[in-house]
Amino acid sequence: MPWTPGRPDYDNSSMVDEPFDIDTLAAYLHTSPQRISRLADRGKLPGRKVGGRWRFAPAEVHHWLENRIGVSDEEELVEMEGVLSRSAEPGAEAPVVLAELLPREAIAVPLVARTKNSVITKMTELAAGTGLLWDAQQMAEAVRVREEMHPTALDIGVALLHPRRPMPSILGQSLLALGVTPSGIPFGGTRGGLTDVFFLICSENDQRHLRILARISRLIGDSAFLAALRAAPDAQAAHELIAEHEAKLG
C-alpha cells in the first residue's frame, strides 16, 4: 500500500480499542477510503463486515502495520515514518530519536546470555535498571508470549523484542534497551539463523511503538552500521555509534 498523504486536517489520536471504519482508517493512514475499501475487499487488510460495513480492530491494524514495516525497503520506511508522524496524537509529532530513548545504562555490550529465555530476562532487567520500567518480570512474560506467537528475530541476526501490545501501566516513558551477545544464539528466526543483536522496545502506545519500530528498521537496514555495532567495545561506543548513524537518517 503506497503511503501517500491524505487528509492532514484529521485530528487523530493514538490507537484506541474502538474499531475503525473505512473513513477513519483512511484518515489514520493518510490515504483514500477507496484504497482502504479495495484492500479490505481483496483480503489484504484485516477487517470484518458488521451489518454490511467494514470494521477494523485497532490491534489487528497495528499488527498489519508492524508486518509491513518488517518487509519495507528504505524508501518505504521513510514514507511510513512520515505517515506515522502525521497520524500521531496532538503534541506527539516530534521525531523519534533512538539515541534519546536508549539510556547508556540500558545497553549491555557484551550481553552475557546463551539462551532465548536468558536474553529476554536480561534485556528486561536492563530496561528496569533505568528506573523507567517498573516491572521487569511482567515485561519479560509479555515478551515471551509475543515470541511464542511470532518470533521477532530477523534474518540479519537482529531481534526486535516487544510485548504484543504496549504496557504503559508499568512504564515511566517509552524506552529502548540494547544487548549484543559475543556470539549468535538460536532465537527462532524464520531461516534458523543465529541472533546476536537485541533491541527491546518498551512503548507507551501503539502509535509510538510503530514509529520506534520504523526508525530502528531504517537503522539496521544498513549492513555497515550492524558490522560496526557488533564491533563496538562497550556501551558508550555503541550509544555513540547509534547517535552518529541515526543523525544521517535525517
Side-chain angles (χ1 to χ4, degrees):
M1 174 179 176
W3 296 93
T4 51
R7 295 160 53 185
D9 58 332
Y10 179 71
D11 184 14
N12 179 54
S13 61
S14 60
M15 280 190 183
V16 292
D17 290 331
E18 184 176 348
F20 291 108
D21 60 18
I22 290 284
D23 290 334
T24 55
L25 182 55
Y28 182 81
L29 297 178
H30 287 254
T31 189
S32 69
Q34 293 78 11
R35 191 187 303 276
I36 294 297
S37 182
R38 286 197 301 270
L39 286 169
D41 288 340
R42 295 170 183 173
K44 295 185 177 181
L45 183 63
R48 56 189 56 84
K49 282 192 172 181
V50 179
R53 297 178 180 273
W54 280 108
R55 293 292 183 267
F56 307 93
E60 293 179 356
V61 171
H62 166 80
H63 290 298
W64 178 78
L65 286 168
E66 190 175 75
N67 290 334
R68 287 197 61 84
I69 289 173
V71 298
S72 296
D73 59 23
E74 170 67 10
E75 183 177 351
E76 291 169 331
L77 285 170
V78 171
E79 195 168 2
M80 192 177 294
E81 275 196 307
V83 168
L84 292 170
S85 295
R86 291 192 295 273
S87 299
E89 59 186 356
E93 301 88 351
V96 166
V97 181
L98 302 180
E100 294 179 359
L101 293 170
L102 179 62
R104 287 170 179 79
E105 60 267 33
I107 302 175
V109 179
L111 176 70
V112 182
R114 296 183 178 180
T115 66
K116 186 173 186 174
N117 276 335
S118 63
V119 165
I120 293 173
T121 296
K122 293 196 174 186
M123 290 296 295
T124 54
E125 288 175 349
L126 270 178
T130 68
L132 298 173
L133 170 62
W134 304 325
D135 192 330
Q137 183 176 354
Q138 187 178 347
M139 179 62 74
E141 290 173 357
V143 169
R144 289 190 179 97
V145 169
R146 173 63 175 82
E147 290 293 328
E148 290 173 2
M149 291 178 57
H150 185 75
T152 60
L154 305 173
D155 294 337
I156 54 176
V158 179
L160 305 177
L161 310 178
H162 59 271
R164 185 171 184 270
R165 295 295 301 276
M167 304 174 71
S169 63
I170 60 172
L171 288 174
Q173 65 181 56
S174 297
L175 79 150
L176 296 172
L178 167 66
V180 182
T181 54
S183 58
I185 66 172
F187 212 80
T190 56
R191 298 184 182 178
L194 301 180
T195 305
D196 60 352
V197 176
F198 302 90
F199 284 93
L200 172 64
I201 304 173
C202 303
S203 53
E204 298 168 278
N205 54 57
D206 288 324
Q207 180 64 242
R208 188 73 166 167
H209 170 75
L210 291 171
R211 295 178 70 196
I212 293 170
L213 185 61
R215 192 71 169 170
I216 293 177
S217 296
R218 289 186 64 194
L219 196 66
I220 63 177
D222 182 348
S223 59
F225 163 76
L226 279 181
L229 183 61
R230 289 181 168 111
D234 52 36
Q236 177 68 25
H239 191 275
E240 291 175 356
L241 183 70
I242 288 172
E244 174 188 345
H245 281 258
E246 186 177 16
K248 297 176 183 177
L249 296 180

